[in-house]
Amino acid sequence: MTKIGVVQMNSGTDPERNLSQLKKFMQGLQLQGAKLVVTPENTVVFGSKADYQRWAEPLGDGPLQQQLSQFAHQLGIWLLIGSMPILQPDGSITTTAVLFDDHGKIQAHYNKMHMFDVNVADKHQSYRESDTFKAGDDIKVIDTPFGKLGLSICYDIRFPQLYGELRQQGADIIVIPAAFTKLTGRAHWEVLVRARAIETQCWVVAAAQWGEHNETRETWGHSMIVDPWGQVVACQQQGTGVLTANVDLQLANKIRTNMPVADHARLVFSHIQ
């Protein structure tokens, strides 16, 4: 059984402000005994295309990642940064989840696969992530001391094929860092998070942004940890803050034994195009 912590943030365009907020939350989670901390999408910077371009770093190199590495090492906590802008060798930028171990070493990363290119009836109206970020191609399931960790980010949640593949590759815990809009979050966030847990029979750890970020961007919050039966065991509805839950992989094994849906499945999604 492992205690996992989730940080709900209100990130903005200033990385130093965001990282200062994060460090305080991580210190509190360390005192509560968390061994893995998961943060939202856009943890390090949440802003415009120009902001992401300004602060993007090559993977494993740069002052922002150095600070995050130090946080993880000093506190002795595995840290999953929900996403930050990463500069690719070809000059493009990805929105990337980065996993640091308790020594501050990067153990894995995941480039968000599905770009949020949609129209929403809110103040922002039109979202075009592909204008800023290059979509990723690789599915990631990572061995950790807490079980196999399946990585995803925000809009990915609407594509169950990806989560079926994460389960097929052995995921025990699936993380969904997010910055869901208030409008779409109110309508779909909880049901999607719970559905991904139910269909994969995995623990799901969903860390969210909350509140107003500028004149047009407002996010839903409602970070949660959901068990493999689809029950919400912890939730931070509004405001910034933290939540924790003890994640028991034996519960997942029991549910999978009693209801072996993976063995019964007749359609297999072998690759996400």
Side-chain angles (χ1 to χ4, degrees), residues 63-88:
L64 298 175
Q65 290 171 87
Q66 185 177 13
Q67 286 189 64
L68 295 166
S69 171
Q70 290 173 351
F71 292 172
H73 187 204
Q74 290 169 358
L75 297 174
I77 292 175
W78 282 64
L79 173 62
L80 188 284
I81 295 297
S83 81
M84 61 184 297
I86 294 294
L87 180 64
Q88 298 299 319

Side-chain angles (χ1 to χ4, degrees), residues 7 9 17-32 71 75 242:
V7 179
M9 298 182 66
R17 170 191 171 274
N18 299 333
L19 293 186
S20 176
Q21 179 185 179
L22 173 61
K23 187 174 183 180
K24 291 177 182 178
F25 285 138
M26 287 183 63
Q27 289 169 334
L29 286 168
Q30 182 203 38
L31 294 175
Q32 294 182 54
F71 292 172
L75 297 174
V242 300

Side-chain angles (χ1 to χ4, degrees), residues 198-265:
I198 293 165
E199 69 197 10
T200 62
Q201 299 175 315
C202 289
W203 285 87
V204 170
V205 180
Q209 293 280 355
W210 170 84
E212 295 182 0
H213 303 271
N214 57 38
E215 293 82 1
T216 63
R217 292 295 300 270
E218 186 172 4
T219 50
W220 177 239
H222 291 73
S223 299
M224 61 184 71
I225 299 174
V226 179
D227 73 18
W229 194 242
Q231 301 300 304
V232 178
V233 299
C235 181
Q236 171 86 18
Q237 293 188 358
Q238 299 183 11
T240 60
V242 300
L243 60 144
T244 65
N246 289 314
V247 171
D248 181 4
L249 298 187
Q250 292 184 359
L251 174 61
N253 292 334
K254 180 179 179 181
I255 290 170
R256 294 175 183 186
T257 298
N258 291 340
M259 189 179 292
V261 294
D263 295 335
H264 296 159

Side-chain angles (χ1 to χ4, degrees), residues 17-248:
R17 170 191 171 274
N18 299 333
L19 293 186
S20 176
Q21 179 185 179
L22 173 61
K23 187 174 183 180
K24 291 177 182 178
F25 285 138
M26 287 183 63
Q27 289 169 334
L29 286 168
Q30 182 203 38
L31 294 175
Q32 294 182 54
K35 301 302 182 185
L36 168 66
V37 170
V38 179
T39 76
E41 183 180 28
N42 297 324
T43 288
V44 175
V45 58
F46 194 173
S48 66
K49 180 176 181 178
D51 295 312
Y52 297 121
Q53 290 174 329
R54 177 184 178 187
W55 297 109
E57 299 176 340
L59 185 67
D61 182 24
L64 298 175
Q65 290 171 87
Q66 185 177 13
Q67 286 189 64
L68 295 166
S69 171
Q70 290 173 351
F71 292 172
H73 187 204
Q74 290 169 358
L75 297 174
I77 292 175
W78 282 64
L79 173 62
L80 188 284
I81 295 297
S83 81
M84 61 184 297
I86 294 294
L87 180 64
Q88 298 299 319
D90 65 1
S92 65
I93 298 173
T94 55
T95 183
T96 300
V98 183
L99 178 64
F100 298 86
D101 67 17
D102 52 358
H103 298 289
K105 181 180 178 181
I106 293 177
Q107 289 292 333
H109 72 281
Y110 165 73
N111 300 328
K112 184 177 181 180
M113 187 173 292
H114 298 95
M115 296 291 97
F116 190 56
D117 290 353
V118 306
N119 298 321
V120 176
D122 62 8
K123 291 181 181 180
H124 198 75
Q125 295 188 338
S126 180
Y127 297 81
R128 294 291 180 269
E129 277 191 332
S130 63
D131 288 348
T132 302
F133 300 114
K134 180 181 178 180
D137 295 314
D138 297 327
I139 295 169
K140 296 289 184 75
V141 176
I142 312 303
D143 283 311
T144 76
F146 326 112
K148 290 183 179 292
L149 198 66
L151 306 184
S152 68
I153 300 173
C154 201
Y155 190 50
D156 285 337
I157 199 173
R158 294 185 182 273
F159 301 89
Q161 303 95 323
L162 171 60
Y163 295 86
E165 190 71 21
L166 291 173
R167 166 68 193 278
Q168 188 177 20
Q169 293 187 18
D172 301 303
I173 303 165
I174 293 173
V175 296
I176 310 176
F180 250 62
T181 72
K182 185 175 182 180
L183 189 146
T184 58
R186 182 186 290 115
H188 298 148
W189 171 248
E190 180 177 336
V191 69
L192 285 169
V193 174
R194 295 181 66 194
R196 298 298 85 89
I198 293 165
E199 69 197 10
T200 62
Q201 299 175 315
C202 289
W203 285 87
V204 170
V205 180
Q209 293 280 355
W210 170 84
E212 295 182 0
H213 303 271
N214 57 38
E215 293 82 1
T216 63
R217 292 295 300 270
E218 186 172 4
T219 50
W220 177 239
H222 291 73
S223 299
M224 61 184 71
I225 299 174
V226 179
D227 73 18
W229 194 242
Q231 301 300 304
V232 178
V233 299
C235 181
Q236 171 86 18
Q237 293 188 358
Q238 299 183 11
T240 60
V242 300
L243 60 144
T244 65
N246 289 314
V247 171
D248 181 4

